[in-house]
Amino acid sequence: MTAKGVSERGKKVLLDFPALAALREHDRKGIDEILGIVEGCAEYKREVALPRALQLDQRMEREPDYFDWETMREACRYNIFSLAIPKVLGGLAEKYMITGMALAVEELSSACGGIGLALAAHSLGVAPVIASGAMAHWDTVLHEIVEEEKKGNPVVMAYGITEPSAGTDVEEPEFLEVGKIGMEAKKVKGGYLLNGRKCFISGGSEAKYFTVTAATDRSRPLQTWTTFLVERDMEGFSTPRVELKMGQRACHAAELLFEDVFVPDSHVLGYEGDGMANGILIIMAASRGPVGAIATGIARGAFEHFLAWTREKRNGKRPIDEDRIRMTLADMLGSIQENRGLFLNHSFGGDAVFRGAFTHPIFLSTFLIPRTIRTSKPYSAFLNSYYGKALVNALFRYFIKDEDVTDMLAKASLAKFTCADNAMALTSRALEVMGADDSPQRPWVEKAYRDAKLTQIYEGTNQLNRLVVYNTEIAQSLQVEIPGPFKKGVR
Ligand SMILES: Cc1cc2nc3c(=O)[nH]c(=O)nc-3n(C[C@H](O)[C@H](O)[C@H](O)COP(=O)(O)OP(=O)(O)OC[C@H]3O[C@@H](n4cnc5c(N)ncnc54)[C@H](O)[C@@H]3O)c2cc1C
């Protein structure tokens, strides 16, 4: 295999992911862009994340409210806040948006699951703005993220769907139908009044912009579930508290409080009532694979520290000289590679689904219109109007088919729960073998064990993700139907 012009880290990625190396034979430019992203994340890992990860974890156990903004500011140098933002807007996302994201978060999380989550959760917050085709906000919010990043100022986004009374229930249509929803969006003149709470929101205490779901009629949550863009400085909005976390502490899990928050009509992402299929399901179909990559990164980090431990001498002997330890190491490598196969299988498929829309000349040509016009009031008003949204929706839906999103969701859920369970098993095994050891490697592995646990919970618990795989692949009772104005049953 030749890999001319590729950095050392890039060469290792091509060895670890032969499918990427094979693809590079056909699309060198596209794959080299991804390798560039991974190389940037590897440098961030070396220079920023690894030197702080352990101390930060310990400090945030004592002071859960503390937040290390420096880790965020440093991430700007590597364009990590632009990972999910389309290239036409100055971001990094193009043909291999999901694959690039997955490999980036594996790299970041191999240094620290918490820092990895803090950076990945931002892209999760960005995702509904992109997936809903809310292009009026692309030239404002997404543009601001890219421009401020160039100046070293992180503009953070967060995604809020979980409520105190509904966690699993908001992630699956069948459960949302009967879920006890607390958050309400009441229609008023010119917009909506939001009342209620969201909880466990990653990055919620730092974010400037939020993508948030709420029912416009709490007695019919599935039919009226709607995604809104909320700004931190909107009156009545606050983030009163953060959790004391067991793992991934570098990323806050915050409560969001809405007390008569007025959100204008222009801030509805997509249409009223399409928040499950056009919001949560399409986002989860894209993002659960990268969550598997977070788990894989945590497992890889633990493996690297465990391997270093096996080479240390204790009582004149090195653990790595024993066959049982060598077999354990081989098992660990096997589970990391199994994870990679699953999340890459998802991301290659997902990229093929989204690529059609995001690289199509019709889509790209809209950005030939000068920015002054794109940000003008009449243009924004058109994009936010029923017909403006319908046009973008029709274009997206032409390329992004229901059956492809269903398949993507199945592969994403499979990767998510398998990677998370494997990471939990690997970190647990490493700790068992190390025992109560005073090696400097042990606190890293213990932290990885706590970090890994949370990947089994967020983006749908592993139980829910197993049900999604059963429902999509085996029972075929869950078919994602992305609504749109030209489809039956949607206004
Ligand atoms: C570190 C962390 C970060 C997070 N970040 C975010 C974020 O950024 N944004 C956000 O919106 N949310 C976030 N969450 C919330 C997360 O998505 C929820 O915790 C998760 O969906 C589970 O919901 P719950 O905690 O209410 O548990 P519950 O829904 O109460 O579930 C409790 C248990 O019951 C099981 N269960 C529930 N219903 C069923 C069923 N029908 N069948 C079988 N088993 C079932 C679950 O699998 C689980 O084991 C985060 C959570 C954590 C821990």
Side-chain angles (χ1 to χ4, degrees):
M1 182 200 313
T2 54
K4 278 191 198 138
V6 175
S7 69
E8 282 311 304
R9 180 67 198 120
K11 283 182 190 156
K12 180 77 171 79
V13 172
L14 291 178
L15 283 175
D16 285 347
F17 295 88
L20 274 189
L23 201 55
R24 190 171 178 268
E25 302 287 318
H26 304 280
D27 184 7
R28 189 167 166 161
K29 184 170 171 281
I31 298 304
D32 282 358
E33 279 182 11
I34 302 184
L35 297 181
I37 292 174
V38 180
E39 176 57 32
C41 292
E43 193 178 317
Y44 176 85
K45 169 181 170 174
R46 272 194 315 273
E47 305 292 326
V48 184
L50 271 182
R52 308 162 193 244
L54 209 50
Q55 280 174 341
L56 188 55
D57 176 71
Q58 288 159 358
R59 177 164 184 182
M60 290 184 79
E61 183 183 19
R62 296 189 306 273
E63 299 171 58
D65 287 320
Y66 174 75
F67 188 74
D68 186 1
W69 273 105
E70 200 50 32
T71 50
M72 299 287 108
R73 277 192 285 274
E74 288 288 334
C76 292
R77 285 208 281 140
Y78 304 94
N79 304 111
I80 294 173
F81 292 95
S82 300
L83 274 176
I85 298 180
K87 219 173 181 180
V88 276
L89 294 166
L92 299 183
E94 213 196 15
K95 279 196 264 180
Y96 303 105
M97 178 168 72
I98 308 176
T99 303
M101 177 67 65
L103 294 178
V105 297
E106 186 201 303
E107 194 67 29
L108 298 167
S109 305
S110 70
C112 172
I115 295 176
L117 177 65
L119 295 166
H122 158 79
S123 290
L124 187 66
V126 166
V129 181
I130 295 172
S132 63
M135 287 174 74
H137 300 291
W138 291 23
D139 273 308
T140 52
V141 175
L142 303 188
H143 179 78
E144 182 185 338
I145 293 170
V146 170
E147 290 306 308
E148 288 302 310
E149 184 174 59
K150 287 181 193 156
K151 299 180 213 156
N153 301 326
V155 173
V156 179
M157 288 196 71
Y159 189 38
I161 60 174
T162 307
E163 306 192 358
S165 62
T168 300
D169 288 350
V170 300
E171 302 219 17
E172 225 277 339
E174 207 187 322
F175 301 157
L176 183 60
E177 180 101 61
V178 294
K180 287 194 176 61
I181 299 305
M183 199 69 191
E184 185 179 55
K186 193 172 162 223
K187 185 75 189 98
V188 292
K189 190 168 178 282
Y192 295 79
L193 273 188
L194 266 54
N195 276 290
R197 284 169 202 272
K198 294 284 177 185
C199 61
F200 309 143
I201 309 307
S202 298
S205 41
E206 288 73 44
K208 179 172 181 188
Y209 297 106
F210 300 82
T211 40
V212 166
T213 49
T216 54
D217 177 351
R218 284 192 297 146
S219 67
R220 294 187 307 127
L222 179 61
Q223 293 74 20
T224 67
W225 203 234
T226 305
T227 312
F228 298 91
L229 177 68
V230 173
E231 303 183 21
R232 175 171 288 280
D233 57 10
M234 285 176 166
E235 213 177 312
F237 176 76
S238 61
T239 51
R241 58 181 287 271
V242 297
E243 305 292 333
L244 171 60
K245 294 173 74 181
M246 70 173 284
Q248 304 190 15
R249 291 182 183 137
C251 178
H252 277 157
E255 181 175 294
L256 316 184
L257 178 61
F258 299 81
E259 294 171 298
D260 278 341
V261 179
F262 175 75
V263 180
D265 286 329
S266 60
H267 282 41
V268 172
L269 301 177
Y271 291 91
E272 182 180 325
D274 74 3
M276 176 48 82
N278 208 8
I280 290 169
L281 291 183
I282 198 164
I283 303 301
M284 296 296 149
S287 67
R288 280 181 181 153
V291 168
I294 293 182
T296 308
I298 293 169
R300 191 182 114 206
F303 173 80
E304 285 164 5
H305 290 289
F306 180 69
L307 179 62
W309 175 85
T310 64
R311 289 177 169 145
E312 287 169 5
K313 268 196 176 163
R314 39 191 49 75
N315 303 326
K317 289 183 183 162
R318 298 185 322 155
I320 200 165
D321 295 329
E322 289 179 51
D323 276 351
R324 72 179 179 102
I325 299 293
R326 291 175 175 179
M327 289 190 286
T328 300
L329 287 166
D331 278 345
M332 289 177 172
L333 268 188
S335 80
I336 292 171
Q337 280 307 100
E338 181 192 4
N339 281 8
R340 285 171 164 170
L342 284 171
F343 78 65
L344 209 59
N345 204 28
H346 161 258
S347 70
F348 277 173
D351 284 334
V353 174
F354 285 133
R355 189 180 300 145
F358 288 116
T359 58
H360 195 274
I362 297 180
F363 166 74
L364 295 176
S365 64
T366 60
F367 291 90
L368 295 174
I369 300 168
R371 227 187 90 74
T372 42
I373 298 180
R374 298 201 319 256
T375 50
S376 66
K377 267 196 175 164
Y379 192 80
S380 303
F382 170 70
L383 286 178
N384 278 327
S385 70
Y386 180 81
Y387 294 104
K389 285 184 180 185
L391 200 65
V392 180
N393 183 288
L395 177 67
F396 277 25
R397 297 292 85 93
Y398 179 75
F399 293 102
I400 303 172
K401 302 289 180 212
D402 293 349
E403 56 273 23
D404 292 336
V405 179
T406 306
D407 183 57
M408 204 191 343
L409 182 65
K411 288 192 168 69
S413 288
L414 188 66
K416 192 271 182 191
F417 77 73
T418 310
C419 293
D421 284 354
N422 279 347
M424 204 58 227
L426 185 154
T427 52
S428 165
R429 181 92 186 99
L431 266 189
E432 280 167 13
V433 174
M434 291 170 108
D437 192 280
D438 60 2
S439 158
Q441 306 300 338
R442 193 183 181 283
W444 286 97
V445 177
E446 185 265 342
K447 173 181 176 306
Y449 173 81
R450 287 185 282 106
D451 287 351
K453 179 66 204 170
L454 300 184
T455 62
Q456 292 183 314
I457 301 173
Y458 55 66
E459 295 237 3
T461 60
N462 277 9
Q463 290 87 344
L464 171 87
N465 278 285
R466 285 187 163 85
L467 289 177
V468 169
V469 171
Y470 173 80
N471 289 337
T472 47
E473 295 280 280
I474 298 166
Q476 299 191 344
S477 57
L478 174 60
Q479 300 284 328
V480 180
E481 281 182 42
I482 307 285
F486 302 132
K487 272 194 178 171
K488 208 171 116 237
V490 180
R491 69 187 181 103

